[in-house]
Amino acid sequence: AGLGEFRIRDLNDEINKLLREKGHWEFRIKELGGPDYARIGPKMLDHEGKEVPGNRGYKYFGAAKDLPGVRELFEKEPLPPPRKTRAELMKSIDAEYYGYRDEDDGILEPLEQEHEKKVIAEAVEKWKREREARLARGEEEEEEEVNIYAVNDDESDEEGGKEKEGEEGQQKFIAHVPVPSQQEIEEALVRRKKMELLQKYASETLMAQSEEAKTLLGL
């Protein structure tokens, strides 16, 4: 370690060059039919009996393992915490998790009521200020109660409404849309049934001929 960082790096580079040359000779020996020393040869161990650490084929010996940036390569990252299964996550979920018991503490509800009163008071105060401003500008306020359920006789006649009277003393109901009679309903049901039968049993050619005949007859 006392040789200095640059000298240690140079020596480590020289060792790795010799190891690459050794690997080339081992590969050549295998090509010539000799033994595969890369596979059967002894492992490269350091003075502590541990395998020499390396990164992408480059080995680090002795003090080179403690150089800046090298130590971090071989530090093991802490294992991530084990992931919980869905069943384990659902164990701690109850009604309180979804907020169903928020009002049971006796604190939230009074706060909401107080805030509601404050908002209503502010809205009333704003309405009063706007009303006073309109009166100051000379605008007359017409406060007239409007019955939204009242029905104008003229409008009901124009819309073709039909008034149904029950027994004496009962409320009167007015229909503002045309109400079909029982005969019209029966005729509509018969036409609909005929169309369903035609669509189910008639061929496309017959349907086209039927439509053409209706067109010629003006139906």
Side-chain angles (χ1 to χ4, degrees):
L3 295 177
E5 178 182 348
F6 297 104
R7 180 60 178 160
I8 293 174
R9 289 185 185 276
D10 291 340
L11 290 174
N12 202 75
D13 290 341
E14 289 293 333
I15 297 173
N16 278 274
K17 288 179 182 178
L18 294 173
L19 289 175
R20 283 197 297 272
E21 185 178 353
K22 175 176 175 288
H24 293 325
W25 282 114
E26 290 174 347
F27 180 74
R28 181 58 179 164
I29 291 171
K30 181 181 177 182
E31 282 185 340
L32 296 174
D36 187 2
Y37 290 106
R39 185 174 61 86
I40 65 175
K43 292 184 178 180
M44 192 176 300
L45 305 177
D46 57 10
H47 63 282
E48 297 178 355
K50 299 179 181 179
E51 189 174 358
V52 177
N55 184 27
R56 296 181 181 179
Y58 188 90
K59 302 290 186 180
Y60 295 93
F61 300 90
K65 293 183 293 184
D66 298 326
L67 292 174
V70 178
R71 184 188 299 273
E72 290 78 2
L73 293 175
F74 307 107
E75 288 181 352
K76 294 183 179 179
E77 296 182 358
L79 295 176
R83 296 184 61 181
K84 294 184 178 180
T85 62
R86 186 177 183 85
E88 292 175 346
L89 293 174
M90 295 298 292
K91 284 182 180 179
S92 58
I93 295 180
D94 52 8
E96 188 174 358
Y97 174 82
Y98 294 101
Y100 289 123
R101 299 177 182 172
D102 289 348
E103 298 179 355
D104 295 346
D105 55 1
I107 300 176
L108 182 61
E109 191 170 356
L111 292 175
E112 289 180 347
Q113 292 177 355
E114 182 179 354
H115 182 71
E116 183 180 0
K117 292 178 182 178
K118 181 180 178 182
V119 172
I120 293 174
E122 291 176 354
V124 172
E125 185 65 25
K126 180 180 178 182
W127 176 80
K128 289 181 179 179
R129 289 197 303 268
E130 293 177 354
R131 182 171 178 270
E132 292 176 357
R134 288 196 300 269
L135 292 175
R137 291 195 301 267
E139 297 179 2
E140 296 182 358
E141 286 193 348
E142 296 182 358
E143 296 183 357
E144 182 177 351
E145 294 183 358
V146 179
N147 185 4
I148 62 174
Y149 299 104
V151 179
N152 192 344
D153 294 338
D154 297 335
E155 293 180 357
S156 61
D157 293 339
E158 292 176 359
E159 294 178 358
K162 297 182 179 180
E163 183 177 351
K164 298 181 179 180
E165 297 183 3
E167 297 178 359
E168 295 182 358
Q170 292 184 349
Q171 186 178 2
K172 298 178 180 180
F173 297 96
I174 298 176
H176 296 279
V177 294
V179 179
S181 62
Q182 184 67 26
Q183 183 180 359
E184 292 174 345
I185 294 175
E186 292 177 356
E187 292 176 355
L189 291 175
V190 171
R191 286 196 301 269
R192 181 178 177 181
K193 191 65 177 178
K194 286 182 179 179
M195 291 300 299
E196 290 178 355
L197 292 174
L198 285 174
Q199 292 176 358
K200 185 175 181 180
Y201 297 106
S203 62
E204 295 182 359
T205 305
L206 185 59
M207 289 289 293
Q209 293 176 355
S210 177
E211 292 294 333
E212 185 177 358
K214 289 182 181 180
T215 306
L216 294 176
L217 294 174
L219 297 179

